Amino acid sequence: MPTLDDILEHIGEFDLYQKRAFFVLCLLSAAFTPIYVGIVFLGFIPEHHCRSPGVAQLRNRCDWSLEEELNYTLPKGETHGDAFTSQCKRYDVDWNATELSCINPLDFSTTYRNRSNIPLTACQDGWLYDFPGSSIVTEFNLVCEDAWKLDLFQSCVNVGFFVGSISIGYMADRFGRKRCLLITILINSISGVLMAFAPSYTWTVVFRLIQGLVSKGGWLTGYILITEFVGLSYRRTVGIVYQVAFTVGLLVLTAVAYAIPHWRWLQLAVTLPNFFFLLYYWCLPESPRWLIAQRENDKALKIIKRIAKGNRKKLPPSMQDLQSEEEMGDKPIPLFLDLVRTPQIRKHTLILMYSWFTSSVLYQGLIMHMGIGGGNIYLDFFYSALVEFPAAFILILTVDRIGRRHPWAAANLAAGAACLLTALVPEDLYWLKMTAACIGRMGITMCYEMICLVNAELYPTFLRNLGVLVCSSMCDIGGIITPFIVYRLADVWHELPLVVFAVIGLIDGGLVLLLPETKGKALPETIEDAENMHRQGRPKEKIIYLHVQTSDAATN
């Protein structure tokens, strides 16, 4: 009996029909960017200081410039021994007092000999922000004592990713890729619009959490869907380009955020296009590979004929004779226990979970660590996104020539070594420090793109979506703890987070070498196929024979 890969060789492995479907799914990949890293712009923290009653009137009376006003009325961090004093404290002074002079107005007091002795008080009247636009930080005053609320906002997104990855992975394997994808798109679109009109911080977090619950699961389901109806020789290309679309989304997000500096309008601008993805109901088919695994062969054959017609090919009659559901036995139901029941799949699951964790911590951590030093947020974000394109180009050139494992291990080792080098290079060698940081970002981007490709290739069809989403849930655990690694350890030593990243990356570089090579191998259809992937040199005919033999045995 021919496999789906055999059929695709005759009707087109990646022809016109698949290219159209792939293009529309790449739009979905690009649209995921604002949810994954949108906090950079939605939660932008501008320079700020306490609002002091009477200062504005005094400034107008004395005709001060903004620099003079801040110099005269703001407590200096170096004077009071606190770097955040100028942002979170103000002088306990009545600025409406008539005896205040326009030159050194604080010199009127004879009670305190210098500024360091003037008592300070909290920002009881709010803050002033040096930013022409708005963010959730400026609107809800998420600074100083409430700065942790911004961390909570982003942590809730990652919590949503974690819960959603597992639940949506199960639903996609149980009820179908397409149905699950459309439901996640609808919920994501509605909650994104509601977030733009949220009346309070609490509701903003609630709607963002809902977006997290469905958005990543939808993104990965789209990835699984496209890899399941293209041929073997094109799997790695569509997998890498699907993630390159995410990088394109980074560039688009930068431009849109620059043009729309107000967070509510920005949220609307990046959410409304998601409603167009509901047209996927008419544009995309269900995965024929999933339908075959569910013993719905009649539906699978209709979709295969639809693909053949779209590619202007004819399906050979010899490949239309699929076994009926009665002959194939019961449908396999994906279970979480299947991910650890057998020794090889258990090993794959544990290594892949750690690799997802590593990729998330290093990828997000390097972006956060880059932002600690300040600078132009738009240019920094734009340049860091550009580094990801060479990573995809290198993978396209290597994964089919060398394989998956060795480029993946090399990328992990390069990222870890680059993080260590960046930490140890002195500040006066800025060019070397930045070069090492770019190599680290490129290396971990390669790891991210590689793990999406390999993760889907190591699980049987009925378990594939669940396996990818459960393993990738560790990526969300990494996203939850990364801010604490970056900001808390940086208080001890600015480069300490990079040392931690180096250790994590180097360990992962060794672990991925324990996985089987998937270059040139058909996607496993059963548990037996996945267990035997570490055995080299199995001919294609043998794979088909084992699949048929196992299926027959299940009915006896």
Side-chain angles (χ1 to χ4, degrees), residues 370-392:
M370 176 188 64
I372 291 179
N376 187 309
I377 183 176
Y378 302 104
L379 285 179
D380 290 346
F381 197 85
F382 181 79
Y383 291 146
S384 66
L386 288 179
V387 176
E388 298 190 9
F389 288 100

Side-chain angles (χ1 to χ4, degrees), residues 91-233:
Y91 288 121
D92 191 10
V93 171
D94 180 11
W95 295 103
N96 292 309
T98 57
E99 63 268 24
L100 294 179
S101 66
C102 291
I103 300 177
N104 295 325
L106 293 178
D107 289 346
F108 80 96
S109 176
T110 58
T111 306
Y112 308 104
R113 296 184 178 276
N114 55 58
R115 287 193 179 190
S116 62
N117 294 325
I118 300 177
L120 302 178
T121 186
C123 299
Q124 301 171 352
D125 299 285
W127 286 262
L128 294 174
Y129 298 93
D130 184 17
F131 184 50
S134 67
S135 68
I136 61 173
V137 171
T138 63
E139 180 166 335
F140 301 121
N141 290 325
L142 307 184
V143 293
C144 300
E145 291 84 358
D146 288 333
W148 62 271
K149 292 183 179 180
L150 181 62
D151 302 332
L152 177 64
F153 176 83
Q154 184 62 14
S155 294
C156 284
V157 178
N158 284 281
V159 170
F161 288 165
F162 176 74
V163 177
S165 293
I166 298 176
S167 58
I168 292 174
Y170 178 81
M171 289 188 292
D173 278 335
R174 186 71 185 272
F175 304 109
R177 313 325 194 194
K178 181 179 176 179
R179 183 183 304 174
C180 185
L181 181 64
L182 291 171
I183 292 173
T184 59
I185 290 172
L186 179 62
I187 297 175
N188 181 40
S189 303
I190 294 175
S191 58
V193 171
L194 291 175
M195 175 182 159
F197 295 99
S200 65
Y201 165 80
T202 302
W203 281 111
T204 303
V205 172
V206 170
F207 293 132
R208 196 60 164 183
L209 173 62
I210 296 174
Q211 281 197 296
L213 285 170
V214 296
S215 57
K216 184 190 173 187
W219 183 84
L220 285 170
T221 299
Y223 175 85
I224 294 294
L225 181 61
I226 189 60
T227 58
E228 288 190 338
F229 64 83
V230 300
L232 174 64
S233 57

Side-chain angles (χ1 to χ4, degrees), residues 4 7 14 26 57 78 100 133 136 149 162 209 222 280 310 345 400 412 416 437 447 450 500 524 547:
L4 180 61
I7 296 175
F14 189 55
C26 281
Q57 293 78 359
E78 60 270 14
L100 294 179
I136 61 173
K149 292 183 179 180
F162 176 74
L209 173 62
Y280 286 175
I345 293 182
D400 276 346
N412 268 302
C447 295
M450 188 70 82
V500 175
H547 177 59

Side-chain angles (χ1 to χ4, degrees), residues 297-520:
N297 299 313
D298 293 338
K299 293 181 180 179
L301 184 58
K302 289 181 181 179
I303 291 175
I304 291 171
K305 290 180 177 179
R306 180 178 166 187
I307 295 174
K309 183 179 179 180
N311 292 340
R312 299 171 186 174
K313 303 279 182 68
K314 287 187 177 181
L315 181 65
S318 61
M319 295 191 171
Q320 298 184 25
D321 186 20
L322 297 178
Q323 284 186 321
S324 66
E325 295 184 22
E326 289 77 15
E327 294 175 318
M328 294 296 289
D330 297 331
K331 299 178 182 180
I333 298 176
L335 300 174
F336 289 101
L337 188 59
D338 290 331
L339 297 175
V340 294
R341 190 195 307 273
T342 54
Q344 291 301 317
I345 293 182
R346 179 167 58 247
K347 182 181 73 172
H348 300 169
T349 300
L350 295 177
I351 294 177
L352 289 169
M353 291 177 74
Y354 180 80
S355 295
W356 274 107
F357 175 83
T358 299
S359 298
S360 174
V361 170
L362 267 68
Y363 185 85
Q364 296 188 48
L366 288 175
I367 293 177
M368 293 179 184
H369 194 267
M370 176 188 64
I372 291 179
N376 187 309
I377 183 176
Y378 302 104
L379 285 179
D380 290 346
F381 197 85
F382 181 79
Y383 291 146
S384 66
L386 288 179
V387 176
E388 298 190 9
F389 288 100
F393 181 72
I394 293 172
L395 283 184
I396 290 175
L397 291 180
T398 58
V399 292
D400 276 346
R401 291 175 174 83
I402 302 175
R404 274 63 157 160
R405 286 191 309 167
H406 293 99
W408 189 6
N412 268 302
L413 295 176
C419 288
L420 187 60
L421 181 61
T422 305
L424 299 180
V425 170
E427 293 292 339
D428 53 351
L429 293 177
Y430 181 76
W431 64 271
L432 181 57
K433 202 174 187 70
M434 288 304 299
T435 300
C438 288
I439 293 174
R441 176 69 181 275
M442 185 185 303
I444 201 58
T445 300
M446 290 177 62
C447 295
Y448 237 138
E449 294 174 352
M450 188 70 82
I451 193 173
C452 286
L453 174 65
V454 175
N455 201 155
E457 295 177 332
L458 289 175
Y459 288 103
T461 300
F462 82 96
L463 193 62
R464 185 167 299 123
N465 208 71
L466 180 64
V468 170
L469 294 179
V470 167
C471 291
S472 68
S473 65
M474 290 304 297
C475 167
D476 310 319
I477 299 297
I480 292 172
I481 70 172
T482 297
F484 299 96
I485 295 177
V486 174
Y487 300 121
R488 297 298 168 261
L489 295 185
D491 291 339
V492 179
W493 175 38
H494 186 269
E495 310 298 347
L496 184 56
L498 295 176
V499 177
V500 175
F501 297 159
V503 174
I504 295 174
L506 293 174
I507 292 175
D508 192 40
L511 288 177
V512 298
L513 292 174
L514 301 177
L515 294 174
E517 179 57 65
T518 59
K519 171 190 169 186

Side-chain angles (χ1 to χ4, degrees), residues 8 12-30 178 181 185 218-219 221-231 238-239 241-242 245 277 279-288 303 306-307 310-311:
L8 290 174
E13 292 186 286
F14 189 55
D15 218 323
L16 183 61
Y17 186 90
Q18 289 106 321
K19 289 177 181 177
R20 289 173 179 171
F22 179 55
F23 174 75
V24 297
L25 282 173
C26 281
L27 297 179
L28 176 70
S29 179
K178 181 179 176 179
L181 181 64
I185 290 172
W219 183 84
T221 299
Y223 175 85
I224 294 294
L225 181 61
I226 189 60
T227 58
E228 288 190 338
F229 64 83
V230 300
V238 298
V241 177
Y242 186 78
F277 297 145
L279 297 174
Y280 286 175
Y281 180 83
W282 294 276
C283 299
L284 293 177
E286 181 55 270
S287 166
I303 291 175
R306 180 178 166 187
I307 295 174
N311 292 340

